[in-house]
Amino acid sequence: MAPTLLPVQEILQGGVVPKDYLQTKEDYQFGDVPPALMDTPTIDFSLLSSSPNELTNLYSALSSWGCVQIVNHGIPESVLDEVREMSKQFFKLPMEEKQKYSSKGNELEGYGNTNAIQQGSLNWNDKLHLHVYPQQKRQLQFWPQNPHHFRTSLDEYSKKNHMILELLLKSMACTLNLKEESFIELLWENEKEDNLHARFNYYPRCPMSDNVVGLKPHGDGTVLTILLQDQHVEGLQVLKDDRWFRVPVIPHALTILVGDQMEVASNGIFKSPTHKAVVNPKFDRFSLAMLFIPSLVKEIGPLNALITEDKPQLYKRFKDYGQVYTQSIPSGKRPIDLVKITY
Ligand code: OGA
Ligand code: NI
């Protein structure tokens, strides 16, 4: 079993950044400093079911960037603020208190440093990872009781995210002239088996911020990720055409990232972007990623309607993408490269 690493927050108390966290030359392969802002229009979520123009914008953002921000998504600002606040409060608790929720060994769930299964230099990131759906999979021993409303707020926030996911999946199908339910039937059908994980990220400020990275470049292994960014501190960057772009802070927007399983389901039309989180020298940064992952027993592959003579099947079919993810780690490749079919 890999040794448990100290939370980054603790390391920082020592005042020295350990060399394992310092980035190597290869980590800077697409170094373009400072990167430009991502300039795709935000989507007015409330117009998606009525405005063809909004659907076109959604299609264009997700097929080129794989990332877009949505506003008017129906989650009240007060709920977003509350969720952000409780996440900050959790990470600010005394270490002994937080360690009651620590992950054990290589377990995904719980509080701690994210680097247990990691190659090369380490991420400047602490996290709290919770399995939210299906409901019977909740391991409440990892769900903080302090702040006292943590559990109910996360529950409420998760339900609202679930509603957003459904409308997004329907809208994405509509942009491809598919039956509205096409992606839902393939990817997110069964309440008892489909998975939603919540990952609270904490990126402590770092005096050597240019030499560390919050989360190394990666693609999400999800269908979609709904990210609640910090409302003050920027940090998310996406890769497009081999250049990094900063994703702007829009205080009450939600950031949508296409995950690998949606890239597969759409036979490559929607792009799962390589993205990373950078660290700020002066300010701590928080984010909450809601990760939608289909039932592990379900076969996932490109929708038949999207396989044509002009566009052959570009990805293999698989079950449980988590296994593909794990297999990809020693190679250093992106997991999606392991399921690509080359002709
Ligand atoms: C993630 C992620 C980015 C961020 O949790 O997978 O990419 O800005 N987070 O925290
Ligand atoms: Ni990510």
Side-chain angles (χ1 to χ4, degrees):
M1 198 188 283
T4 312
L5 293 152
L6 272 183
V8 171
Q9 192 182 10
E10 281 284 89
I11 293 172
L12 194 55
Q13 307 276 320
V16 179
V17 179
K19 74 169 184 344
D20 290 350
Y21 287 85
L22 297 177
Q23 297 293 286
T24 58
K25 263 218 190 93
E26 298 85 76
D27 297 319
Y28 287 111
Q29 55 183 329
F30 301 115
D32 180 10
V33 186
L37 276 179
M38 179 177 92
D39 62 354
T40 184
T42 45
I43 300 293
D44 184 335
F45 199 68
S46 68
L47 297 180
L48 273 182
S49 357
S50 59
S51 157
N53 188 36
E54 221 55 22
L55 278 182
T56 308
N57 287 343
L58 181 73
Y59 170 82
S60 122
L62 298 185
S63 57
S64 56
W65 292 88
C67 176
V68 78
Q69 306 214 54
I70 58 172
V71 293
N72 290 331
H73 41 61
I75 307 189
E77 294 183 2
S78 58
V79 172
L80 301 184
D81 290 342
E82 181 178 280
V83 169
R84 285 181 176 124
E85 194 48 39
M86 76 184 193
S87 127
K88 270 186 208 169
Q89 283 177 20
F90 171 75
F91 286 108
K92 280 196 183 138
L93 291 173
M95 201 50 73
E96 313 81 76
E97 181 75 16
K98 286 194 293 258
Q99 274 168 348
K100 290 182 193 155
Y101 307 102
S102 287
S103 321
K104 311 277 177 301
N106 278 344
E107 259 176 14
L108 198 58
E109 269 191 87
Y111 164 70
N113 186 314
T114 45
N115 294 301
I117 43 164
Q118 176 85 47
Q119 277 239 321
S121 62
L122 301 175
N123 290 325
W124 194 256
N125 167 279
D126 290 335
K127 58 93 194 146
L128 172 67
H129 189 123
L130 303 172
H131 201 158
V132 178
Y133 290 138
Q135 199 134 350
Q136 71 273 16
K137 288 270 178 67
R138 291 185 187 183
Q139 299 204 63
L140 287 178
Q141 72 271 25
F142 291 122
W143 288 51
Q145 279 175 299
N146 187 355
H148 70 277
H149 60 85
F150 190 103
R151 293 177 173 191
T152 47
S153 298
L154 179 57
D155 191 56
E156 185 191 353
Y157 183 69
S158 301
K159 287 198 184 102
K160 298 207 153 96
N161 271 260
H162 191 188
M163 284 160 54
I164 293 177
L165 174 81
E166 281 190 5
L167 182 54
L168 274 173
L169 291 181
K170 285 184 185 169
S171 307
M172 289 166 79
C174 289
T175 68
L176 303 179
N177 295 322
L178 297 171
K179 203 163 53 94
E180 194 178 69
E181 300 288 326
S182 307
F183 286 124
I184 293 188
E185 283 167 7
L186 175 68
L187 300 165
W188 192 266
E189 194 185 26
N190 185 343
E191 265 196 2
K192 295 212 163 50
E193 287 177 2
D194 294 320
N195 300 286
L196 172 61
H197 296 255
R199 181 189 156 108
F200 295 82
N201 289 303
Y202 173 33
Y203 307 98
R205 68 190 83 173
C206 179
M208 296 179 75
S209 57
D210 286 345
N211 301 95
V212 300
V213 67
L215 283 184
K216 290 209 281 195
H218 67 281
D220 288 351
T222 55
V223 171
L224 290 176
T225 301
I226 303 182
L227 185 74
L228 178 63
Q229 292 204 69
D230 196 291
Q231 75 264 57
H232 304 297
V233 187
E234 205 182 275
L236 175 64
Q237 298 188 359
V238 293
L239 192 68
K240 182 171 183 280
D241 306 327
D242 286 350
R243 281 180 59 197
W244 288 108
F245 290 85
R246 290 146 50 216
V247 179
V249 167
I250 303 174
H252 292 102
L254 292 168
T255 304
I256 309 300
L257 288 158
V258 172
D260 289 356
Q261 301 200 54
M262 175 50 87
E263 180 170 323
V264 169
S266 68
N267 202 24
I269 295 176
F270 298 120
K271 302 289 182 312
S272 166
T274 299
H275 57 283
K276 66 178 177 180
V278 303
V279 176
N280 194 285
K282 294 209 182 77
F283 303 104
D284 294 348
R285 176 170 182 267
F286 299 86
S287 72
L288 169 55
M290 302 298 276
L291 311 165
F292 290 90
I293 297 167
S295 158
L296 308 185
V297 296
K298 202 161 189 176
E299 187 173 85
I300 305 296
L303 279 178
N304 284 328
L306 298 175
I307 302 173
T308 59
E309 256 181 48
D310 295 343
K311 185 106 197 255
Q313 179 179 346
L314 295 180
Y315 306 85
K316 296 177 208 159
R317 300 182 191 278
F318 51 80
K319 288 181 185 164
D320 186 2
Y321 196 66
Q323 292 190 19
V324 179
Y325 219 94
T326 313
Q327 276 169 28
S328 74
I329 293 173
S331 71
K333 282 193 193 161
R334 275 193 54 171
I336 197 157
D337 294 332
L338 270 52
V339 297
K340 275 188 185 147
I341 301 175
T342 39
Y343 288 91

